[in-house]
Amino acid sequence: MADPHMDVRELALAIFAANGRLLNAGNELVAHLGLTSAWWQVLAALRYSGAPLAVASIARNMGLTRQAVQRIVDLLAGQGLVEFQPNPHHRRAKLVVLTRAGLNAVNRAERAVAPIDQAIAERIGAARIRSAIATLHTMVEVISERLDPPPPHTLSN
């Protein structure tokens, strides 16, 4: 009988391996664009968010520390790939927005990796990819439920 704990462990190890390979491949494929995988990750997070995000939101969505994302965002701003806008919900936490150059950089990066994306899609298939996405989202939910602090309680009258 299979041990479900070992299945989870194997899945985690496969995710670690895929993540490492994705980062290395990304660095290799976008280096000629003056990007790194980390820069590309943040630019893509902004592109697909649908709205400007604060650094803390980018970090939370990507599973990274706020400090690491802040360093990347500051570098991207220095390159003219993102800019800061006032945040109506938080005076000090500016919103990060892609510039036209940032959007162009994401588009070029996506074109650079398109052949690998296509090969993965052909090998795995859309249904299995969607299933994997759902599985990973559920894993993140379970981990967050177990490890994140509960939200503060408010007193009601």
Side-chain angles (χ1 to χ4, degrees):
M1 187 167 138
D3 179 355
H5 298 286
M6 286 306 298
D7 290 342
V8 172
R9 189 61 32 230
E10 276 190 60
L11 177 58
L13 291 171
I15 291 168
F16 294 152
N19 182 59
R21 192 61 190 112
L22 280 169
L23 292 174
N24 290 334
N27 283 331
E28 185 178 318
L29 293 168
V30 300
H32 72 283
L33 302 172
L35 298 175
T36 67
S37 283
W39 287 24
W40 177 25
Q41 237 181 330
V42 171
L43 292 171
L46 290 168
R47 177 181 185 180
Y48 294 107
S49 72
L53 296 172
V55 168
S57 295
I58 298 168
R60 190 172 33 260
N61 294 347
M62 296 173 61
L64 300 172
T65 66
R66 188 198 58 74
Q67 294 84 351
V69 173
Q70 185 67 61
R71 282 192 296 274
I72 293 167
V73 166
D74 288 343
L75 290 168
L76 293 171
Q79 296 292 317
L81 301 175
V82 299
E83 62 186 19
F84 299 100
Q85 293 182 349
N87 184 343
H89 304 291
H90 194 288
R91 205 172 343 151
R92 288 185 15 227
K94 301 282 186 208
L95 295 175
V96 184
V97 181
L98 280 179
T99 62
R100 177 168 281 137
L103 181 58
N104 288 338
V106 173
N107 289 338
R108 289 191 319 271
E110 289 181 353
R111 282 193 300 274
V113 301
I116 291 177
D117 288 348
Q118 182 65 33
I120 291 169
E122 287 172 2
R123 173 101 39 107
I124 296 174
R128 287 177 58 206
I129 290 171
R130 284 191 299 273
S131 177
I133 292 166
T135 298
L136 294 173
H137 283 304
T138 302
M139 284 181 70
V140 169
E141 285 175 18
V142 170
I143 293 166
S144 296
E145 289 167 2
R146 297 293 179 129
L147 297 180
D148 291 350
H153 289 87
T154 57
L155 297 175
S156 59
N157 295 346

